[in-house]
Amino acid sequence: MSSQHPLPNTQQPSDVYGGDEVSALVLDAGYCHTRAGFAGEDVPKSVLPSFYGSLKTGDGDAATYRDIFGDECLIPRADFEVKNYMSRAESIVEDWDAATKMWEHVLIKRLQPEKPTPPSKNGLNDPVPDGEGDVAMDDVEDQEKPLAESPLLMTEAPWNTGKAREKVIEIAMESWGCPAFWLSRTPVLAAFAAGKASALVIDVGGANTSVTAIHDGMVLKRSIQKSPVGGLWLSGQIRSMWDNNDPKIDIVPSYMVENKTPVDAGAPAQAKLRKFPYEISQSFRTYEEERLVTEFKESVVEVWRGPGRYSNPGNEDIVRSQPGRVFEMPNGSNQMWREQRFRVSEGMWDETAALPAAESITKAQTIPELIKAAVNAVDVDLRPNLLGNIVITGGTSLLNGFGDRLNNELMAMYPGMKIKIHAPGLTTERRFSAWLGGSILASLGTFHQMWISRKEYEENGAGIVEKRCK
Amino acid sequence: MASHDVRDVLNLPHDGAARPAKKLKTNVPRPSLKGLAREVQNLGGDNPIAIVPEISSFKKRRFGSRKPAARWELRPFRNSARDDQSLHLRHWRKQTEDQARTQESQSGENGAEQESKSEQLDDSTFAKFNVQVDIPQYSDDQYNSNLISRYWTKDETDYLFGLVRDFDLRWPLIWDRYEYKPKPPEQARNGEGAGSMDPRTAVMPAGRPRSLEDLKSRYYEVAAKMMVVQKPVQYMTQPEFQLHEMMANFNPVAETQRKKFASDAMSRSREEAQEEELLLIEVRRILARQERLNQERRELYHRLDYPQTEQDISAFKSSAGLATLLQNLMNVDKTKKRKSLMEANGVNTPASAHPSDRLGHPNSTPISENRRESIAASSTGHRDSIGGSERPERPAKKGPQPAPKKLSEQEEHIYGVVHHDRLPSGPTFRYERINKILTTKSNAQHQRITNTLAELDIPSRLNMPTRAVVEEMEKLLASIGVLLDTRKLSDKLDAEIKLEKAKKAEREKTMAPAQTGKAAESAKVNGDAKKDGVNGTHSTNGDSTSAATAEKTNGDVPATNGSTNGETNGNSDTTANGDGAAPGDKGVRPGSSSNNRKRSVSVLSGISDKSSKRQKK
C-alpha cells in the first residue's frame, strides 16, 4: 500500500459505477412524505410527513399562523391544524409558501445544520458603537444563500404543470441560491433506481397510483395513467369496512387513549380516554386516524394473489379456512380478520368488488386497466420490452401479495408475452425508489453536463426548465 | 486400548453412527505443529486432543513506515461537455504533494494565485461521453429546391427536425412528444417567412395526427435527399450508400402492416396463445420427425447406393449371372474373418438387395432386356472409341470379367462400333486425314480439287468430321480425283483429235479430194462416236457427283444420329435416312452409299475404258 502514489487526476480511475460526487442534494416531495438527502447515499437522510402543523396565535382577525414541520411536532395542541401543502388529487404543490418553508426545513435545517458564525464576523467582538446592546445585522444580500454550495435535484409528478415547474426552479435559484438545478420525474427515477433506462413503472403511492412508460430515461407522455387508487383510497375502504362491521368499530387514535385493559376478541373496549383542556381539531384527528389505518394496512390487509379475481366462486371459502390475523386497536378492542382483509384491497383490481365508500372508482381506474391503457398508448415495438421491465414502486405496493397478483393479472392480460416484474424486497427501496433514483442520477459523472446552471437560469429565465428537463 | 477394543471385549454392539463421524474428523487438516506440541498432538491418535498449544505472536507495528494521512480537498472542476462553461462543481480529490506544499506556503495569502489556479481547472473525465447524433440540416433554398412535399410544410418539417435533434432520433419519444400546432395563416403571412411559405400549404388542415411511420418517412426522405445533395450517389462510400438506400427505401406501409401484425399477436387471448403454442410445438415435432425421417431415408439410400462399378454389369443380369454373383459374394463372406462380420453384412446387404430387386420384375420382356444390354454395351463401346485405348480395369472384386458381347452388324452401326485392322499409333484428328489427302496432291491439282469442291458447295474443311462424314469425304475426294484424271485425259484426247484433224486437212489439201472417200467418212463417224462418248462421260460424271453430294448430305444426318442417340433402334434409323438412299435399300447405310459410289465409279471407268479403246482404234 505504501508503494502506491496517488495518481494524477487525469489518470485517476473514476469510480467503478461512473460516480462523481459533487455533494448534490436530492428532494423528493410526495403527498404523504417529503424525502431529502445527499446524492450518492442509499437512503434519504430526512423523511418528513408532508403534513405540517399550523399553530394559531391570537384571535379573530389578528390571528397569526406559525407553521411547524416534522413528525415530532404533530402532537395534540391547542389551536392546531394539520395541513398538507400538496393537492390530494394531483400530488402537485398547492400551497407554495408552505412548500417553500417545508423544503427549507428539510433541506437546510435537517441536512445542513447552521454553522457557527466565525467569531470575527458574529459581531460579538465588535466595539460597541452607540452603547446599545444589539448590533445591527448585516445586509441580507451579504449573507450567503443557504444552498449556495450544493446543486439540487428535485422530483415532480409526471403530470406536473409547466407553471409549477417554473416556480420550483425560481425558488431553488432565487431564494436558496443553488449553483445548479435539475427537475426529474418520479417514474424515471424509479426506473433508474431499478437499474433500467426503459421500464413500465407502476407507482402505487399514497394519494395516487400511476402507470408510466419510460423509454431511454424519458417519460412517454401519452402513456401516463393516473388513478386515485392508492393508499388513502385504501384507507377509505378500510373505514368503510369498519363502519359496516358487526359490531361497528370506532376509530380511536392512540393519542386519545390514556390507558386500556386487555379484552377478549370481539368484546367491547375497556379504555380510559384522555381529556384535553382544549379542542382537538378535526384535521389533527383525521391525521391521527390515518396513522392507525396505515398500521392496519401494514399488518393485516393482504391482496388476493390470484389467479383470477377474489370474487370468483370458491376463493372466499379458501381464505375462510385459513388462519386470520388479529388486530388490536389502541383502545384494546381486538378482532380476528380473515376474508375481510382480502376484500378491502380487491377494489384495486376489480371495481365491482370495491366497498361502497366516499370515492367510488370506475373500471378504468383499476390497476390492470391502467396498465392496459398505458401499454396501448405506446408504440407497438416498445411493448414487449416494457412488459419485460415492469418496476413496482410506492409504499402501497408493499401490501402482501401485491406482486403476485400483479403478475397474475398481467399473465392473464398478455398471455403470449414475457412478463418480468422488478419489485425490490427492501421496503426502503420501494418507498423511496424515486429519491433513490435521484440520488443515483445526481451522483453520476455523466450527469454533470445536464445541470441547469445558475448562469443559464439568469440568461434564460424560469422557462429554461421546460426546455431542458424534458 | 481403544474404545472399540473395549467394546469387542465386552461384546457390545458397535456404535455405527459414531465411527464414521470420527473418521471424518481425521481428514481435517491439522494445524502444523512443531516440536513438543506435535508429539503431544500425536498421542491423541484419531481423537484429537482439545488442548492445543497456541503460540500467540503480535504483528510488529510499523510506526516508522507509516505515511501521514492523505489530504483531500474539495476541488472545483469544469465540464467541457456543457454548453455553459461557467458552472464549476466541486468534488473531493486527493491532494497531490506539490499542491499541498503550495497551499501550505501560500496559506492565507492573496487570492490572485487562486484565480490563476481556476484557469487551469481539470476537465471532467466524463465529458468525453457526451456524444451527439448527426442530424441533417437544410437551408431555405435547399428546402425549396429539393424537399417540398404535399403533406408537409416547411414549418412542420422544421418542428420535426427540432424534435429529432432534441431526442437524438429516439423515435418513440419523438412520436410521443409530437404536438405540432400549425401557425395560423395570418401570422405566417405577417411573419418574415411568409415569402418562402407556399400559400397552398399554408392553409393545411390544422394539426393532422401523424403516425410514427409518417414522421419516420418524412425524416428519412429529407435525410436521404440531403445526403444526395451533399454527396452524389456515385461518390458515396459503401456504408454511406447503404444508409442512403435504407433511408430512401423506407416503406411506411409495410412498417404499419408489421406493427399491426405485432399488435394482433400481442392481443391474442389466452386460448389463442395456447393454441398457437400447441401448433408451434406440433410443427416443431413434425419438423424434428421429418429430420429424423430424412436422416433415415438418407441412410437407406446410402445403403442402397452400391459402389459404382466401371465394369459391365450385364453379366449379372441374367439369372445365371446372378447365381454366380451370389456365389462370389458368399465366397468373399466366408473368407472374411468373423471380426468383420458385421461390416461385411453391412456391405453385402445392399448388394444382395439389389438382385432381389431385379428378380422382383421377372416379367420384363426379352426385348427390353436386350435393349438394356445393348445400352450397357454401347456405353462401354463408346467409351472405348473415345478413349482410344482400354482403361486400366479395376481389380475385379465381384466376379469374373464378363466376355464382350458380340454385336450384330446393325447394332454396331447404331453404336458406332468400328473394327480396325490396324490402328495408327496415337490419336489423330479426322479432318487431318482429309487434309493429308489434299496436301499430298500437287499444287495445281490441289487448286483444281478445291475449285471442284467450291462448285459443289462443299467446304474444303469439314464442319463436323464424324466418321461417316470423313468416309464420305474421302470417297468424294477420290471420285474428284478420278474426275479430274478423266477430264485431263479427255482434254488430251481433244487436243489429239484437233491435231489429227489439222493433219487431215493438210493431207486433203495436198491429196486429191477423190482419194479421200471412205477413209474420211469412217473417220467422221469415229469422231462423232468419240464426241458422244466424251459427252456421255461428262453427263454421267455430273450425275454421279450430284448423287454423291446428295449422299453426303444425307449421310450426315444418320451418322450424327447414330453417334448421339444410340438408343434409337434400326427402324427409326432407316426412316431417317430413307429419302437419301434408295427406298428399297434397307441395308446398312455406309454399305449402301458405297454401293452407289461404286456404281458411279464403275460407270465412269467403263466409259473411260470405252473411250480409250476407241482411241486405240
Side-chain angles (χ1 to χ4, degrees), chain A residues 70-87:
Chain A
D71 209 20
E72 68 278 5
C73 303
L74 299 174
I75 50 169
R77 293 175 192 231
D79 297 329
F80 186 67
E81 291 277 344
V82 173
K83 297 178 181 172
N84 196 315
Y85 65 90
M86 284 213 167
S87 76

Side-chain angles (χ1 to χ4, degrees), chain A residues 95-159:
Chain A
D95 183 351
W96 282 103
D97 290 338
T100 315
K101 281 186 206 161
M102 177 96 193
W103 293 340
E104 271 176 18
H105 178 83
V106 172
L107 289 173
I108 299 158
K109 286 236 177 64
R110 300 256 171 167
L111 294 185
Q112 301 188 321
E114 281 177 80
K115 283 177 250 172
T117 328
S120 60
K121 284 183 182 170
N122 65 2
L124 294 177
N125 299 328
D126 290 350
V128 183
D130 51 359
E132 283 181 36
D134 274 352
V135 179
M137 289 289 286
D138 289 336
D139 276 315
V140 184
E141 291 301 312
D142 287 355
Q143 273 187 328
E144 209 174 73
K145 293 267 174 69
L147 289 178
E149 290 188 350
S150 310
L152 175 67
L153 186 139
M154 275 190 67
T155 68
E156 57 169 353
W159 49 84

Side-chain angles (χ1 to χ4, degrees), chain A residues 56-241:
Chain A
K56 190 173 88 173
T57 50
D59 268 330
D61 293 338
T64 54
Y65 295 92
R66 191 165 70 90
D67 294 337
I68 50 175
F69 305 97
D71 209 20
E72 68 278 5
C73 303
L74 299 174
I75 50 169
R77 293 175 192 231
D79 297 329
F80 186 67
E81 291 277 344
V82 173
K83 297 178 181 172
N84 196 315
Y85 65 90
M86 284 213 167
S87 76
R88 161 88 197 273
E90 298 281 315
S91 294
I92 288 176
V93 176
E94 248 178 2
D95 183 351
W96 282 103
D97 290 338
T100 315
K101 281 186 206 161
M102 177 96 193
W103 293 340
E104 271 176 18
H105 178 83
V106 172
L107 289 173
I108 299 158
K109 286 236 177 64
R110 300 256 171 167
L111 294 185
Q112 301 188 321
E114 281 177 80
K115 283 177 250 172
T117 328
S120 60
K121 284 183 182 170
N122 65 2
L124 294 177
N125 299 328
D126 290 350
V128 183
D130 51 359
E132 283 181 36
D134 274 352
V135 179
M137 289 289 286
D138 289 336
D139 276 315
V140 184
E141 291 301 312
D142 287 355
Q143 273 187 328
E144 209 174 73
K145 293 267 174 69
L147 289 178
E149 290 188 350
S150 310
L152 175 67
L153 186 139
M154 275 190 67
T155 68
E156 57 169 353
W159 49 84
N160 202 5
T161 58
K163 225 176 174 180
R165 310 179 86 200
E166 292 183 6
K167 182 83 183 159
V168 164
I169 192 173
E170 236 175 78
I171 292 168
M173 288 290 180
E174 308 269 337
S175 46
W176 299 337
C178 291
F181 181 80
W182 188 257
L183 197 58
S184 194
R185 294 191 170 86
T186 47
V188 174
L189 296 179
F192 284 165
K196 296 172 194 295
S198 300
L200 185 71
V201 178
I202 300 170
D203 182 354
V204 192
N208 284 302
T209 289
S210 70
V211 179
T212 317
I214 310 293
H215 178 72
D216 259 5
M218 299 220 207
V219 164
L220 292 172
K221 278 190 173 159
R222 298 188 194 198
S223 73
I224 298 169
Q225 301 294 324
K226 183 165 74 78
S227 127
V229 178
L232 294 178
W233 173 86
L234 189 56
S235 303
Q237 295 282 299
I238 292 168
R239 281 165 194 267
S240 162
M241 181 180 77

Side-chain angles (χ1 to χ4, degrees), chain B residues 497-512:
Chain B
I497 286 166
K498 267 185 191 161
L499 194 73
E500 289 302 319
K501 272 183 179 168
K503 275 183 185 171
K504 192 183 160 194
E506 284 285 312
R507 219 180 292 153
E508 275 174 2
K509 270 183 194 166
T510 52
M511 290 169 71

Side-chain angles (χ1 to χ4, degrees), chain B residues 537-551:
Chain B
T537 47
H538 268 290
S539 64
T540 46
N541 228 340
D543 277 350
S544 78
T545 46
S546 68
T549 50
E551 200 59 60

